[in-house]
Amino acid sequence: MMTSREYAIQCIKDEAQAVLNLIPQMDEDFDRAVELILSCHGKLIVTGVGKSGHIGAKIAATLASTGTPSFFINPLDVYHGDLGVMSKGDVVLAISNSGQTDELLRFIPMVLHMQIPIIGMSGNPQSLLAKYSTCHLNVSVEKEACPLNLAPTSSTTAALVMGDALAVALMEKRHFQPQDFAQFHPGGELGKRLLTTAQDVMITEHLPILSPEMHLGEAIILVSKGKLGMGVAVNSEELKVKSEKFTVVGLITDGDIRRAMEKWQAEFFNRTVADIMTQTPKTVSLQTKISEIQKMMNKNKIHNVLVVDDANHLLGIVDRYACVL
């Protein structure tokens, strides 16, 4: 007798095979479906009943978040006034494993009367849904993963994957980019990284500002107080007159300080910030996206970047932890 884990493994194998079997079933109708959606001047309305309805809702959500105006509607609700959400210029994606679902078929004449094209998705290319569709996506499976071959398992997985295939093809056709994705997901982690700028997260108070002439013994204290593991060297004359803005001339890190102590030992305290500072530290503007700052940090193996204006005046500091949203 098979163990529970073995039953689960067999289920996964059956569903995986059902997905792979979709490949030879795909034909020119898939291309037509993509072009139909691309040329749609209205909305893509996804519909289905029961388990197909649940799959349809997920497909609609995926499409809507990847650049295709889309939403799900239950065909049963159409009979109670929801037909008003549809208009000429829309496209309907109707999902039914059998292609013969009564509630869905009763909905189709209304759609045809409004001259709205239908993309049918079913496991039966000879069904009435396929017959009345402008193009048909064949998602037939040999058997369900259910041991009784009754519960929708392989069939719903196949429909879901076909929906994902549509979404991906449309993303490629639209040249959909990460920043576009972020605009549809402003609350998600990716959205935050792609929409948040240096100005949103930079540190602006108690910055570890140093003079190039400052002795390293004094610089250690300021770097330690700043708790960023670094200090920013700025124009000495601007420091003397207590200017409102300081021009960046260099940067030192706690690593620079340790190496200097090892190199100069007793002479260390006679050395200045100018002796060890990096004269061309990495800088960004206020509008630089956090995603770009992360790339810069990873590429250069650094933990901080300076935020400056066009005149190289220090505006703030972004550290690695601020980029973890």
Side-chain angles (χ1 to χ4, degrees), residues 247-269:
T247 304
V248 175
V249 296
L251 178 146
I252 65 171
T253 67
D254 50 8
D256 294 329
I257 293 172
R258 286 195 303 273
R259 287 185 288 273
M261 292 180 75
E262 292 174 3
K263 178 180 178 181
W264 287 309
Q265 297 183 11
E267 292 293 319
F268 172 79
F269 290 98

Side-chain angles (χ1 to χ4, degrees), residues 41 66 70 81 121 137 191 205 260-261:
H41 297 295
T66 52
S70 175
M121 184 188 295
L137 304 178
E205 297 181 352
M261 292 180 75

Side-chain angles (χ1 to χ4, degrees), residues 210-220 252 256-257 259-277:
L210 316 173
S211 162
E213 295 79 24
M214 182 181 291
H215 285 98
L216 292 179
E218 185 181 353
I220 289 176
I252 65 171
D256 294 329
I257 293 172
R259 287 185 288 273
M261 292 180 75
E262 292 174 3
K263 178 180 178 181
W264 287 309
Q265 297 183 11
E267 292 293 319
F268 172 79
F269 290 98
N270 294 325
R271 298 289 178 169
T272 66
V273 169
D275 292 328
I276 67 169
M277 71 182 186

Side-chain angles (χ1 to χ4, degrees), residues 86-140:
M86 294 169 51
S87 59
K88 200 167 184 179
D90 292 342
V91 173
V92 166
L93 171 60
I95 306 171
S96 166
N97 184 44
S98 68
Q100 301 287 128
T101 307
D102 183 61
E103 297 91 339
L104 190 64
L105 293 178
R106 284 191 283 135
F107 164 72
I108 287 177
M110 306 178 194
V111 178
L112 295 176
H113 178 71
M114 297 176 70
Q115 297 182 317
I116 295 175
I118 299 172
I119 300 170
M121 184 188 295
S122 82
N124 183 1
Q126 308 305 318
S127 64
L128 287 174
L129 174 59
K131 178 181 178 181
Y132 290 109
S133 295
T134 308
C135 49
H136 179 256
L137 304 178
N138 185 1
V139 290
S140 62

Side-chain angles (χ1 to χ4, degrees), residues 66-237:
T66 52
T68 299
S70 175
F71 63 89
F72 175 80
I73 184 171
N74 190 317
L76 300 176
D77 294 334
V78 170
Y79 308 120
H80 302 285
D82 283 3
L83 188 63
V85 303
M86 294 169 51
S87 59
K88 200 167 184 179
D90 292 342
V91 173
V92 166
L93 171 60
I95 306 171
S96 166
N97 184 44
S98 68
Q100 301 287 128
T101 307
D102 183 61
E103 297 91 339
L104 190 64
L105 293 178
R106 284 191 283 135
F107 164 72
I108 287 177
M110 306 178 194
V111 178
L112 295 176
H113 178 71
M114 297 176 70
Q115 297 182 317
I116 295 175
I118 299 172
I119 300 170
M121 184 188 295
S122 82
N124 183 1
Q126 308 305 318
S127 64
L128 287 174
L129 174 59
K131 178 181 178 181
Y132 290 109
S133 295
T134 308
C135 49
H136 179 256
L137 304 178
N138 185 1
V139 290
S140 62
V141 298
E142 291 183 3
K143 65 185 182 69
E144 299 287 2
C146 163
L148 302 176
N149 197 30
L150 294 174
T153 44
S154 296
S155 59
T156 48
T157 300
L160 185 63
V161 169
M162 186 62 77
D164 287 341
L166 270 178
V168 170
L170 287 162
M171 288 173 70
E172 290 291 344
K173 286 286 189 177
R174 296 185 196 279
H175 305 292
F176 200 76
Q177 299 298 313
Q179 56 266 30
D180 301 315
F181 189 87
Q183 290 176 355
F184 289 98
H185 299 77
E189 179 183 345
L190 177 62
K192 288 179 182 177
R193 287 206 315 270
L194 292 172
L195 296 179
T196 303
T197 65
Q199 185 174 15
D200 298 322
V201 299
M202 69 182 186
I203 299 166
T204 58
E205 297 181 352
H206 309 298
L207 300 179
I209 294 175
L210 316 173
S211 162
E213 295 79 24
M214 182 181 291
H215 285 98
L216 292 179
E218 185 181 353
I220 289 176
I221 297 172
L222 293 179
V223 169
S224 178
K225 284 183 178 179
K227 298 180 179 180
L228 293 174
M230 50 83 76
V232 185
V234 300
N235 183 282
S236 300
E237 295 303 316

